[in-house]
């Protein structure tokens, strides 16, 4: 059976980012603990799924997904600075949560959770980067189709 829309697919893979001497393994799904998803359900990147179409159990793949088809280009517009008072909870600021490099969850205007990376903390302000951690990255998936089901 070949991979097509609405098929349940299990794959093992390694996801690499970077170029030249700066290539990094970002994520891995093993044959023992594969990534399983339904094609066309929006669980995986569309451009990734498109390149799996037609493969069958046992086939290997070597797939690149460009930034614009993955998590987009990094944008300065997605970096915001807030008064530290924005982080008041029960009248206090949890200083242990607000440190450079920490990933925190924020609520947007629609009360949906949005992950953000703390990039700067001063006495009065906190700067957050709302870009996806893989923004600007060309994704390179190397893997194997473990199973294909209805």
């Amino acid at each position: 059976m070949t991979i097509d829309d609405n098929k349940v697919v299990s794959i093992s893979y390694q996801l690499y980012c970077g170029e030249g001497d700066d290539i990094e393994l970002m994520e891995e799904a093993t044959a023992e603990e594969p990534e399983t998803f339904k094609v066309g359900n929006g669980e995986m990147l569309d451009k990734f799924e498109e390149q799996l179409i037609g493969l069958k159990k046992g086939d290997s793949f070597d797939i690149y997904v460009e930034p614009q088809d993955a998590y987009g280009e990094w944008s300065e517009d997605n970096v915001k600075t807030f008064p530290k008072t924005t982080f008041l909870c029960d009248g206090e600021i949890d200083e242990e949560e607000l440190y450079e490099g920490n990933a925190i969850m924020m609520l947007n205007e629609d009360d949906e959770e949005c992950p953000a990376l703390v990039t700067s903390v001063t006495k009065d302000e906190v700067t957050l980067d709302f870009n996806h951690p893989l923004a600007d990255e060309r994704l390179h998936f190397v893997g194997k189709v473990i199973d294909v089901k209805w």
Side-chain angles (χ1 to χ4, degrees):
M1 180 179 307
T2 61
I3 297 175
D4 203 352
D5 278 346
N6 297 314
K7 300 278 175 63
V8 176
V9 177
S10 294
I11 58 173
S12 61
Y13 68 88
Q14 293 83 39
L15 168 59
Y16 298 97
C17 293
E19 296 181 27
D21 293 336
D22 193 25
I23 295 175
E24 183 178 352
L25 175 64
M26 301 301 291
E27 186 176 283
E28 183 172 24
T30 64
E32 296 76 32
E33 293 185 38
E35 180 75 33
T36 300
F37 59 97
K38 187 174 185 178
V39 176
N41 232 24
E43 297 172 54
M44 302 295 278
L45 296 168
D46 291 344
K47 290 292 182 182
F48 175 72
E49 286 187 359
E50 285 174 16
Q51 295 180 67
L52 290 176
I53 301 294
L55 298 180
K56 60 187 181 312
K57 181 177 179 176
D59 286 350
S60 294
F61 57 85
D62 190 342
I63 295 173
Y64 287 90
V65 180
E66 299 302 325
Q68 67 271 17
D69 297 319
Y71 299 104
E73 303 290 334
W74 189 90
S75 172
E76 187 67 41
D77 292 340
N78 293 330
V79 177
K80 309 285 184 195
T81 300
F82 299 91
K84 212 172 201 181
T85 56
T86 303
F87 301 90
L88 278 172
C89 183
D90 296 327
E92 298 200 16
I93 296 172
D94 185 356
E95 298 286 346
E96 291 181 15
E97 286 289 310
L98 299 178
Y99 61 89
E100 193 173 319
N102 191 30
I104 64 173
M105 296 302 288
M106 297 288 290
L107 292 177
N108 67 14
E109 301 83 24
D110 299 322
D111 282 334
E112 299 168 333
E113 287 191 333
C114 298
L117 182 67
V118 178
T119 59
S120 172
V121 180
T122 67
K123 179 179 172 261
D124 299 317
E125 295 181 324
V126 177
T127 302
L128 301 176
D129 183 348
F130 289 94
N131 286 289
H132 190 282
L134 296 178
D136 254 359
E137 295 286 350
R138 182 180 194 218
L139 308 181
H140 182 198
F141 295 87
V142 179
K144 187 174 185 176
V145 178
I146 305 299
D147 201 7
V148 181
K149 297 179 183 174
W150 282 102

